[in-house]
Amino acid sequence: MASGSASGSGGASDAGIEDHRRKWDKEEYEKLAEERLLEELEALEQSKQKPAPVTRELLRQRDYRVDLEGKLGKSVVITKNTPSSQTGGYYCNVCDCVVKDSINFLDHINGKKHQRNLGMSMRIERSSLDQVKKRFELNKRKLEERKKDYDLEQRMKEMREEEDKLKEYRKERKKEKKRKVDDDIDQDQSEGQSELAAIMGFSGFGGSKK
């Protein structure tokens, strides 16, 4: 009986004791965990995406003359402190490299690596119909101009030849006229001598004795 009352009093004291342990809000933490998981998944998807392609200019014609003969015949003293741009060979300031001969240098500046460093692709711009027509018209004008230049040069050559022929003709006419005058003078002199010999009773001058 005593024991029963004791247990009853003990149960009453347990009910009156407060629980000071921290209470966890499961719904709130589940929501935070879900948001964190979504963020990690989005970051993972972004890391898997390919970077945006680099836009490069289309390949275009070079607007300057490549100097391949500027260093020919020149002597250069090269030391270990000489910059690459001043050593022997052909220096490319775009790629910072030296190429030993002109053929390989041309191959280099026309190559894919050099063009990429210039910000260009190896693709050529597709010409429109109007551009093709304008190109044909330009080539046609150039051809006509060359033809005109050729015709003018040919005509000048023909005129020079005609002038030379005229000079030669005039020269021959002058010589012929001079010969004719000389022949007339010789004939007059011969006739004068004959008349004089006849008057003086001689058959001729310078004749042989009989």
Side-chain angles (χ1 to χ4, degrees):
M1 191 73 175
S3 61
S5 62
S7 64
S9 62
S13 62
D14 290 340
I17 297 173
E18 295 181 0
D19 188 1
H20 295 286
R21 290 181 299 176
R22 186 175 181 181
K23 302 293 189 298
W24 299 94
D25 191 345
K26 293 182 178 181
E27 293 181 359
E28 182 181 356
Y29 281 96
E30 286 178 357
K31 184 178 179 181
L32 291 174
E34 186 178 355
E35 290 178 356
R36 184 181 297 175
L37 182 61
L38 289 174
E39 290 178 358
E40 291 178 356
L41 289 174
E42 288 179 359
L44 183 61
E45 289 294 330
Q46 290 179 359
S47 64
K48 289 181 178 180
Q49 290 179 357
K50 293 182 179 179
V54 179
T55 304
R56 296 181 180 274
E57 297 182 16
L58 295 174
L59 194 64
R60 63 175 182 267
Q61 186 176 2
R62 192 178 293 112
D63 57 358
Y64 61 91
R65 182 178 176 274
V66 180
D67 183 16
L68 298 176
E69 302 177 355
K71 293 184 178 180
L72 291 179
K74 294 183 180 180
S75 300
V76 180
V77 178
I78 301 174
T79 64
K80 62 180 180 180
N81 297 324
T82 303
S84 299
S85 59
Q86 299 178 9
T87 58
Y90 297 89
Y91 176 71
C92 176
N93 57 349
V94 177
C95 305
D96 191 22
C97 64
V98 178
V99 184
K100 294 302 181 181
D101 56 79
S102 59
I103 296 176
N104 288 326
F105 181 69
L106 288 175
D107 290 340
H108 168 74
I109 62 177
N110 292 328
K112 189 174 183 179
K113 178 182 176 182
H114 181 82
Q115 298 300 329
R116 282 187 176 276
N117 290 337
L118 286 175
M120 296 185 189
S121 66
M122 297 303 290
R123 301 177 66 180
I124 303 174
E125 181 182 3
R126 187 177 181 87
S127 300
S128 63
L129 182 60
D130 291 337
Q131 290 176 329
V132 174
K133 288 181 178 179
K134 289 180 181 179
R135 190 67 180 178
F136 273 119
E137 291 176 359
L138 179 62
N139 291 336
K140 185 178 180 180
R141 285 198 299 270
K142 288 182 178 180
L143 184 62
E144 290 175 352
E145 289 175 0
R146 285 198 296 268
K147 185 177 179 182
K148 288 180 181 178
D149 293 338
Y150 174 78
D151 292 341
L152 180 60
E153 184 179 356
Q154 185 68 20
R155 182 58 184 163
M156 292 296 293
K157 182 179 179 181
E158 292 175 357
M159 289 177 65
R160 286 194 295 268
E161 290 177 354
E162 291 177 1
E163 187 177 355
D164 292 339
K165 289 179 180 180
L166 183 59
K167 287 180 180 180
E168 187 68 23
Y169 174 75
R170 288 175 178 175
K171 187 176 181 180
E172 290 295 328
R173 288 278 296 175
K174 189 174 182 180
K175 288 181 179 180
E176 184 178 355
K177 187 175 181 180
K178 187 175 182 301
R179 283 197 300 269
K180 186 175 181 181
V181 171
D182 292 340
D183 291 342
D184 291 342
I185 292 173
D186 292 340
Q187 186 176 359
D188 292 341
Q189 288 178 352
S190 178
E191 290 177 355
Q193 290 177 357
S194 298
E195 291 177 358
L196 181 60
I199 293 171
M200 296 181 64
F202 297 103
S203 58
F205 291 98
S208 59
K209 294 183 181 180
K210 293 183 181 179

